[in-house]
Amino acid sequence: MILNWRGWQDTLACIQSLKRSDYTNLQIVVVDNDSQDESVSQIRVSYPDIALIETRRNLGFAGGNNIGIRYALEHGAEYIWLLNNDTVVDPGALTAMVELAEKDRRIGVVGSVLYYMEQPTKVQAWGGGRVNLITGRSRHLLAPGEPHYITGASVLLRSEAIKQVGLLDEGFFMYWEDVDLSLRLRKAGWKLAVADDARVLHKESASAGKKSSFQDELYSTSSVQFLWRHAPFPLLPLVAVIGARLLKRVLIGDWNRVKATWRGFIRGFYVKQPDSQSS
């Protein structure tokens, strides 16, 4: 399942790579998150055989992906592979992920090894990463290890697990929703795993824009929401995380990003707090 928002060129490249997959029982679904550009027409013309769903309004990362997840569940999918549209996958990636999941029925989610698109030998994330709920810091794993979460850029979900714990939480517009889901799965007794042979190239932050004010505001808002829900003493990691992010931007003199980070921090306390999706 690929979520597209004003990135049809990347989406077409992602679909093309999926067409080369050696996994035989694969159905490609694209959800267009109200791009309001030529995305829908370009995707339809290039790949008329795939399912293309239009949301009619921008539902964010969680909301848009949930449209695709519900579609897959309604059509009886046993596994649902969520992929960022700015990814290119190896032919054997999905096979490796499914084979790993089939070895243990308690594995609820499987990640792949992400590499930088521009540096295909450099690991971006070994499936996911770890988060410290006391300090609020999160870090991607760069080598095999036990992840606390699987990154949403490439995540294989077991339908049975999703039916139990609920979908991505739409209280998060973008960022931290994948960590939230992973923690909910672990709390319910499901295992997280990484298929070391599943190789995926990823551009990173193609939608929000890496190191942009837009990204800073969204990330800060979701950080507040996530830590307020999961941290045992949320004010401590919130002050540490937001303080560090503000200081870093002050030191480089990027006042637009300082203001965006602060807006996101304040907004995180006022927007609807996340509430796990159950259907």
Side-chain angles (χ1 to χ4, degrees):
M1 207 292 294
I2 305 168
L3 182 65
N4 177 78
W5 185 72
R6 300 181 181 179
W8 60 266
Q9 297 95 333
D10 287 334
T11 298
L12 294 183
C14 183
I15 295 172
Q16 185 178 26
S17 71
L18 285 170
K19 289 283 188 178
R20 297 192 294 266
S21 173
D22 61 16
Y23 192 79
T24 57
N25 190 23
L26 170 64
Q27 180 184 358
I28 302 173
V29 178
V30 175
V31 175
D32 183 73
N33 216 1
D34 193 32
S35 294
Q36 296 187 358
D37 62 3
E38 55 186 316
S39 287
V40 170
S41 60
Q42 289 286 350
I43 295 168
R44 278 215 174 98
V45 168
S46 300
Y47 293 102
D49 59 317
I50 69 171
L52 177 58
I53 304 170
E54 298 179 62
T55 63
R56 304 298 181 184
R57 63 188 181 92
N58 189 347
L59 302 175
F61 183 87
N65 273 298
N66 280 347
I67 295 292
I69 293 173
R70 292 188 183 98
Y71 176 92
L73 293 175
E74 290 167 2
H75 286 77
E78 185 176 357
Y79 295 102
I80 306 164
W81 190 14
L82 304 185
L83 269 175
N84 276 17
N85 73 314
D86 59 340
T87 58
V88 170
V89 307
D90 272 14
L94 181 55
T95 297
M97 297 169 81
V98 172
E99 286 180 349
L100 179 57
E102 288 291 295
K103 292 179 180 179
D104 185 347
R105 297 295 299 180
R106 293 308 299 169
I107 294 177
V109 55
V110 180
S112 57
V113 183
L114 299 173
Y115 294 84
Y116 288 96
M117 188 76 74
E118 302 302 323
Q119 296 177 276
T121 61
K122 183 179 180 181
V123 173
Q124 185 182 99
W126 204 280
R130 294 174 177 167
V131 58
N132 187 319
L133 296 178
I134 301 300
T135 66
R137 295 186 65 184
S138 64
R139 289 291 183 268
H140 286 332
L141 291 172
L142 300 179
E146 185 176 344
H148 294 165
Y149 65 87
I150 300 297
T151 177
S154 172
V155 54
L156 184 73
L157 305 171
R158 188 186 296 274
S159 294
E160 181 185 351
I162 293 301
K163 290 176 182 178
Q164 178 185 350
V165 306
L167 280 62
L168 291 166
D169 197 313
E170 295 179 19
F172 298 97
F173 187 81
M174 185 181 291
Y175 300 119
W176 290 97
E177 63 287 296
D178 48 358
V179 189
D180 172 77
L181 177 61
S182 295
L183 265 58
R184 287 191 280 127
L185 285 164
R186 292 173 60 205
K187 186 177 181 180
W190 293 97
K191 298 178 181 179
L192 278 57
V194 179
D196 296 345
D197 295 330
R199 178 184 171 88
V200 174
L201 301 180
H202 182 216
K203 279 189 175 180
E204 189 179 36
S205 300
S207 294
K210 189 175 181 181
K211 296 183 179 180
S212 69
S213 297
F214 183 49
Q215 182 192 45
D216 281 343
E217 185 166 353
L218 292 174
Y219 189 89
S220 296
T221 297
S222 292
S223 295
V224 173
Q225 294 174 295
F226 174 83
L227 292 169
W228 199 259
R229 166 186 283 184
H230 291 286
F233 308 102
L235 287 179
L236 178 62
L238 280 173
V239 170
V241 168
I242 300 300
R245 292 176 63 82
L246 286 170
L247 179 60
K248 183 177 179 180
R249 285 147 185 78
V250 168
L251 290 176
I252 62 176
D254 195 331
W255 299 105
N256 286 331
R257 294 183 64 195
V258 170
K259 290 184 286 187
T261 299
W262 181 251
R263 283 196 307 270
F265 175 70
I266 297 301
R267 184 171 180 270
F269 284 101
Y270 286 95
V271 297
K272 176 182 178 295
Q273 288 301 307
D275 185 16
S276 299
Q277 304 298 302
S278 58
S279 61

